[in-house]
Amino acid sequence: PSSQTADAAASLSLDFVLAAMDAAMPYRPAPGKQSGKIRVGDNYYLYDLPEGYDPGLAWPLIVSLHGNPPRHCERVHNKYWRKEPAARGFILISPNLDGGRWHRREAAPVLFAALHDAVTRFHVDWSAIYLNGYSAGGSGTWVLGTRYADLFAALVVRCGIRKVSNRELKNLKGKGVFIIHAAKDSKCPVGQAREAARQLKRYGIKHVYKEYPGEHDFYWDANQEIMDFLSGFNNPSPSSFEIHSRFSKAQRMVHFVGISGKEHTLEGKMADNRISVSVSNLADVKQLDLFFSPSVMDFAKPVSVVVNGESFKVSARPDGRAFVKGWLLYPFFRKADGARVFTGGCTVVREGKILASPELF
């Protein structure tokens, strides 16, 4: 939402806003065509809808990242996927990024612009969003899939170079990773893919490593096996998490924590009217906000807040401002995903220091 919309929504009663969300889903009508191109700002994404698509039902979504040759988005979307996801009941979207450098800073805004448009245009199953990448898109899948692991249930990397640390691979616990590589790949040497598979095994992360004898390619004949694999994974409940990430200066929502700062290890748990968070590199945290979900907390009772071992009691209250603040940080939810609807919260860290008492929104 725009800042003007956010201000207006915050001034409305919370019951009214939540009722309006019920009436507005899906937010926009889907296109009349089963396949096509949708422009988002200065960019676009390609899409295929499942055969028999019904907006009254939630559908799994594959987000596919192309490589860097010209018009690679169109080529991999059509040539390598071959409409097979649609036949298997998946929505497929392929965002376009000029140059295909998905591992660089400019990639995340393009990915999220396409994803946000898709989830407000189509009825997506939030527990079943998968990220796939080819070549440079595979490198981006490693980066974006581990840095934003809270969004994706599983990753598929086809002949991509790993550009993340072993520590960041731990973010993929509870998720699935399918790696395809070619033994004689001269563009993206196979050694990194083999090492990634070894590290995933070391961490107990479910994965498939499939190595072909040929050169750099994307091996569409594995599509059915890949979709079988993806169908076995759903995002875990957001009531607890551990993630290692480079958080940007702008605030970002990770499950129920909004954080701005540098690189951190962040852990959190929300249950039984208790919300706890542990964050490394505290001095580098600009601000840390906690969000309360009425689906797992009783606002009529005091909420226990624990920050790096320091404990507080707060009297939470349902509030439109808290809802809008969470909506601005994490707009990728529907009301039906109750654990991601936040109607209360507080600031607990500012400028590297834990506050003497949490400040309610």
Side-chain angles (χ1 to χ4, degrees), residues 4-256:
Q4 185 177 10
T5 303
D7 290 342
S11 67
L12 298 170
S13 82
L14 186 59
D15 289 341
F16 178 87
V17 173
L18 296 179
M21 288 184 69
D22 278 339
M25 293 191 306
Y27 302 130
R28 284 181 284 173
K33 298 179 179 179
Q34 289 297 110
S35 300
K37 177 190 291 188
I38 294 175
R39 297 210 66 85
V40 181
D42 295 331
N43 225 305
Y44 68 88
Y45 67 90
L46 306 177
Y47 74 89
D48 288 337
L49 293 179
E51 296 175 5
Y53 173 75
D54 178 352
L57 303 175
W59 301 82
L61 170 68
I62 298 174
V63 183
S64 185
L65 307 182
H66 61 83
N68 60 14
R71 298 189 62 80
H72 207 240
C73 179
E74 285 79 359
R75 187 156 69 91
V76 297
H77 183 89
N78 296 308
K79 178 179 178 180
Y80 291 104
W81 277 116
R82 303 163 64 88
K83 305 293 185 184
E84 292 179 11
R88 290 286 301 271
F90 290 86
I91 300 171
L92 173 67
I93 68 169
S94 298
N96 181 69
L97 176 66
D98 290 342
R101 304 296 187 182
W102 290 101
H103 61 282
R104 293 184 176 175
R105 183 178 299 177
E106 64 268 22
V110 173
L111 169 65
F112 292 134
L115 180 58
H116 185 232
D117 185 272
V119 300
T120 57
R121 189 180 298 272
F122 311 123
H123 194 165
V124 172
D125 180 352
W126 264 108
S127 69
I129 299 179
Y130 311 104
L131 186 62
N132 168 94
Y134 301 89
S135 189
S139 301
T141 295
W142 281 124
V143 173
L144 297 165
T146 55
R147 193 163 297 168
Y148 301 94
D150 45 309
L151 283 175
F152 304 107
L155 310 181
V156 181
V157 182
R158 308 199 199 202
C159 290
I161 295 177
R162 179 163 66 102
K163 293 181 177 290
V164 298
S165 66
N166 290 343
R167 183 177 64 175
E168 289 174 292
L169 287 179
K170 293 181 181 179
N171 296 347
L172 302 176
K173 287 184 177 180
K175 303 175 186 296
V177 183
F178 197 111
I179 304 171
I180 288 179
H181 220 97
K184 298 180 181 179
D185 194 328
S186 58
K187 295 182 179 179
C188 300
V190 70
Q192 289 197 26
R194 293 171 178 170
E195 177 59 21
R198 283 193 290 269
Q199 293 299 331
L200 293 172
K201 182 178 181 180
R202 174 188 171 195
Y203 295 139
I205 297 169
K206 294 181 180 179
H207 66 283
V208 169
Y209 178 70
K210 195 175 183 71
E211 188 171 303
Y212 286 81
E215 250 288 355
H216 189 75
D217 204 345
F218 306 133
Y219 303 101
W220 59 264
D221 60 329
N223 286 350
Q224 295 297 330
E225 185 180 355
I226 286 170
M227 289 185 287
D228 287 342
F229 178 80
L230 295 181
S231 297
F233 293 90
N234 293 90
N235 254 336
S237 167
S239 61
S240 64
F241 70 92
E242 175 183 349
I243 193 165
H244 312 266
S245 188
R246 299 182 183 95
F247 297 103
S248 66
K249 292 180 181 178
Q251 281 194 321
R252 181 185 161 228
M253 178 74 84
V254 183
H255 294 300
F256 47 84

